[in-house]
């Protein structure tokens, strides 16, 4: 049974007013336990709106969202979903508020009602998980840390709660290359070691392709494509993904395909492209 | 987001929208002034007529207007009750030691109407005038205060910046509320104290981010060589048109009428 099931989900902002705007239109989708799902789409395609349904922050205007087997139409259930579904918002470092890093990480744990012993165990663990040294940062104010480190602290505040499902909204936006790598590695490890279901929203196909099991492509509130990276890129690559910006290497492959070059294997990752091009060059030399 | 409210600026091209902001500000002053100092029925009725006409011309749905009045029902009801009970005059109903007087009821109704006039006037101004226009209008209307050494330009800049950032801050507060809810902040808790504590987690980062934003804005303005002062020119110069004169003349007549009635 899928852990998240979305059926005919439509969401309208400011319904019944002159400002009404349809953010999602008849979206259906199901996500299995332990899957890593990437959600891509242009600005305003409804990515953030979609994922906010997963932890009960939004209620469908029409349609149904089921999380862990229960319908989120019940208000009581929606208000308790934060215990199961961890949500990392865009620029999460802006939500830090406590005096020290440790207190901020402990905030969610206190709300969960955990014992002080358990909290004392989990806080340093979560900080280590995101690559920070607990003895060094735990008693600092979040404000003195660099942007990249604050982002990691914010991630730790959610990871410490050990959610069954982790939703991340553009977790790497505005980070440098190293910061991006670190964050992505943490997320991937979490999914593989703890079998956490991960849903990650991103602009960048390039960073999602090597990570995800399946990609969901949103376009103007509708699912434009859904499947493994190979399926999504293989089926109808350019038309569907125009608003998103393919990585350079995929653009090159597409250009070549358009000019009549045949590739035996589907090309999704950078390594695939490297191999395919190498082969192509060797063949043409011969 | 709970849909638009009356008083929120709506982009439009109606006769009221097109009026010069100075006209609208002065007109509001006249209406508010006459409502505040004069209790007479004719003045109240004329003011209501003027506002009704303006609302109609601005193309605002009556439903929105009624909703915004309805939001004040408690205040209005209490006004009516206290005015009826506490005014001396001809007794029309007595409940033990409490007496309702005819004068009281009349005064209560007129006070309600006057409160409604004040509410609608200001809402009408802000819903038909963009913040930029509003600030420009304020600056022009208060320009004479410069002679009293009051830095009118700076005040107008402060006001327009404040107005400009309100929607941003509201949006940020919404995002922060969602983020803290996702960490289990007890914002829906039945215990009031818990709820207040929960909102600290929203307010502190909101304040911190606003200060940061203010600092960034100051830096951005400085790096574009902003210096306040009267010598600053505007992109769009205000200018009175025929309708503006018409409105001002009408309202001056109304004001004279009000003063005479008094």
């Amino acid at each position: 049974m899928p852990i998240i099931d979305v059926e005919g989900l439509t969401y309208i902002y400011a319904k019944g007013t002159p400002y009404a705007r349809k953010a999602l239109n008849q979206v259906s989708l199901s996500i299995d336990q332990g899957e890593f799902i990437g959600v891509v789409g242009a600005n305003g395609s409804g990515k953030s709106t979609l994922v906010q349904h997963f932890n009960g922050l939004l209620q469908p205007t029409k349609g149904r969202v089921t999380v862990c087997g229960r319908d989120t139409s019940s208000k009581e259930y929606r208000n308790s979903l934060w215990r199961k579904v961890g949500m990392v918002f865009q620029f999460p470092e802006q939500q830090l508020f406590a005096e020290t890093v440790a207190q901020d990480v402990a905030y969610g744990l206190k709300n969960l009602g955990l014992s002080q012993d358990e909290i004392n165990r989990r806080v340093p663990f979560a900080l280590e998980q995101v690559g920070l040294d607990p003895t060094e940062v735990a008693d600092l104010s979040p404000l003195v840390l660099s942007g990249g480190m604050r982002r990691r602290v914010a991630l730790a505040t959610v990871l410490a709660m050990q959610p069954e499902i982790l939703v991340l909204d553009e977790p790497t936006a505005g980070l440098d290359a190293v910061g991006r790598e670190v964050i992505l590695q943490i997320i991937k490890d979490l999914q593989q070691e703890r079998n956490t279901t991960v849903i990650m929203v991103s602009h960048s196909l390039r960073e999602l392709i090597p990570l995800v099991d399946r990609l969901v492509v949103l376009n103007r509130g509708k699912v434009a494509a859904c499947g493994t990276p190979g399926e999504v890129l293989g089926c109808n690559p350019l038309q569907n993904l125009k608003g998103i910006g393919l990585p350079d290497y995929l653009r090159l492959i597409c250009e070549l395909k358009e000019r009549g070059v045949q590739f035996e294997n589907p090309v999704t990752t950078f390594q695939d492209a490297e191999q395919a091009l190498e082969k192509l060059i060797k063949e043409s030399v011969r | 987001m709970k849909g638009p409210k009356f008083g929120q600026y709506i982009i439009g091209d109606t006769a009221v929208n097109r009026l010069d902001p100075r006209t609208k500000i002065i007109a509001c002053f006249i209406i508010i002034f006459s409502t505040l100092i004069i209790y007479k029925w004719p003045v109240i009725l004329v003011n209501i007529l003027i506002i009704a006409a303006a609302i109609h011309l601005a193309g605002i749905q009556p439903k929105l207007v009624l909703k915004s009045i309805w939001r004040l029902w408690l205040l209005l009801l209490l006004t009516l009750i206290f005015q009826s009970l506490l005014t001396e005059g001809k007794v029309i109903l007595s409940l033990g030691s409490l007496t309702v007087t005819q004068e009281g009821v009349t005064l209560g109704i007129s006070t309600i109407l006057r409160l409604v006039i004040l509410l609608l006037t200001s809402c009408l101004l802000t819903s038909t005038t963009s913040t930029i226009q509003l600030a420009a209008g304020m600056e022009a209307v208060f320009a004479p205060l410069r002679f009293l050494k009051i830095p009118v330009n700076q005040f107008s800049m402060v006001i327009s910046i404040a107005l400009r950032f309100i929607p941003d801050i509201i949006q940020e507060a919404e995002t922060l509320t969602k983020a803290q809810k996702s960490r289990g902040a007890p914002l829906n808790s039945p215990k009031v104290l818990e709820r207040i504590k929960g909102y600290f987690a929203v307010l502190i980062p909101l304040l911190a981010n606003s200060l940061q934003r203010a600092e960034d804005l100051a830096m951005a303005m400085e790096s574009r060589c902003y210096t306040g002062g009267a010598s600053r020119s505007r992109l769009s110069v205000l200018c009175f048109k025929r309708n503006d004169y018409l409105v001002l003349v009408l309202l001056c007549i109304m004001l004279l009428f009000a003063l005479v009635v008094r």
Side-chain angles (χ1 to χ4, degrees), chain B residues 151-205:
Chain B
V152 176
N153 301 80
Q154 268 95 323
F155 275 128
S156 128
M157 183 51 94
V158 168
I159 291 172
S160 58
I161 288 174
L163 292 173
R164 156 69 184 78
F165 279 105
I166 286 174
D168 287 30
I169 291 175
I170 291 177
Q171 184 150 37
E172 199 177 334
E174 265 171 28
T175 311
L176 279 170
T177 308
K178 281 181 181 170
Q180 306 301 24
K181 251 190 188 170
S182 308
R183 293 164 71 193
L187 303 181
N188 294 320
S189 166
K191 291 183 208 144
V192 177
L193 205 64
E194 287 284 292
R195 223 165 12 180
I196 293 174
K197 262 198 216 156
Y199 271 106
F200 268 111
V202 175
L203 286 178
I204 293 171

Side-chain angles (χ1 to χ4, degrees), chain A residues 21-250:
Chain A
R21 194 170 57 82
K22 211 178 233 183
L24 291 174
N25 189 359
Q26 293 289 328
V27 171
S28 294
L29 180 72
S30 80
I31 297 171
D32 286 322
Q33 157 73 42
E35 256 192 315
F36 196 134
I37 300 281
V39 182
V40 271
N43 282 333
S45 58
K47 309 184 292 284
S48 301
T49 312
L50 174 67
V51 296
Q52 283 179 24
H53 281 87
F54 297 162
N55 77 338
L57 286 171
L58 297 177
Q59 190 188 2
T61 310
K62 246 190 269 164
R64 215 162 53 96
V65 176
T66 315
V67 179
C68 302
R70 268 185 75 181
D71 196 329
T72 63
S73 61
S74 136
K75 191 175 178 195
E76 206 193 333
Y77 186 53
R78 274 207 308 282
N79 284 339
S80 72
L81 257 183
W82 62 273
R83 293 169 185 273
K84 289 181 181 165
V85 187
M87 177 99 186
V88 181
F89 277 81
Q90 269 176 52
F91 303 109
E93 59 274 23
Q94 291 177 356
Q95 76 187 26
L96 301 175
F97 69 98
E99 282 163 48
T100 68
V101 168
Q103 281 174 15
D104 222 308
V105 177
Y107 180 67
L109 306 180
K110 275 191 193 139
N111 289 330
L112 277 174
L114 297 178
S115 70
Q116 194 59 46
D117 283 353
E118 180 68 13
I119 292 177
N120 291 344
R121 228 184 346 263
R122 280 201 196 181
V123 169
F125 182 71
L127 287 173
E128 259 166 34
Q129 222 178 350
V130 296
L132 295 173
D133 182 356
T135 53
E136 220 174 274
V137 297
D139 294 323
L140 294 177
S141 159
L143 296 176
V144 303
L145 301 177
S146 72
M149 280 168 93
R150 288 171 66 191
R151 177 79 55 99
R152 289 196 224 174
V153 172
L155 190 59
T157 63
V158 177
L159 296 189
M161 295 162 73
Q162 305 189 343
E164 271 175 60
I165 302 170
L166 182 64
V167 181
L168 304 115
D169 197 347
E170 308 223 10
T172 59
L175 289 185
D176 61 12
V178 179
R180 265 205 302 273
E181 279 305 312
V182 172
I183 296 272
L184 294 177
Q185 194 56 50
I186 296 165
I187 300 167
K188 187 69 189 167
D189 287 350
L190 196 73
Q191 182 237 355
Q192 287 183 335
E193 286 162 20
R194 286 235 205 111
N195 204 23
T196 307
T197 310
V198 178
I199 295 136
M200 177 168 148
V201 172
S202 178
H203 267 122
S204 159
L205 256 181
R206 178 166 197 167
E207 83 182 13
L208 284 178
I209 286 172
L211 292 172
V212 299
D213 297 319
R214 275 196 301 150
L215 273 174
V216 176
V217 183
L218 286 180
N219 186 26
R220 297 184 180 191
K222 286 191 172 179
V223 177
C226 177
T228 62
E231 286 165 5
V232 169
L233 298 170
C235 65
N236 201 351
L238 272 179
Q239 262 140 25
N240 277 341
L241 302 177
K242 233 169 199 162
I244 294 161
L246 286 173
D248 294 343
Y249 68 89
L250 284 175

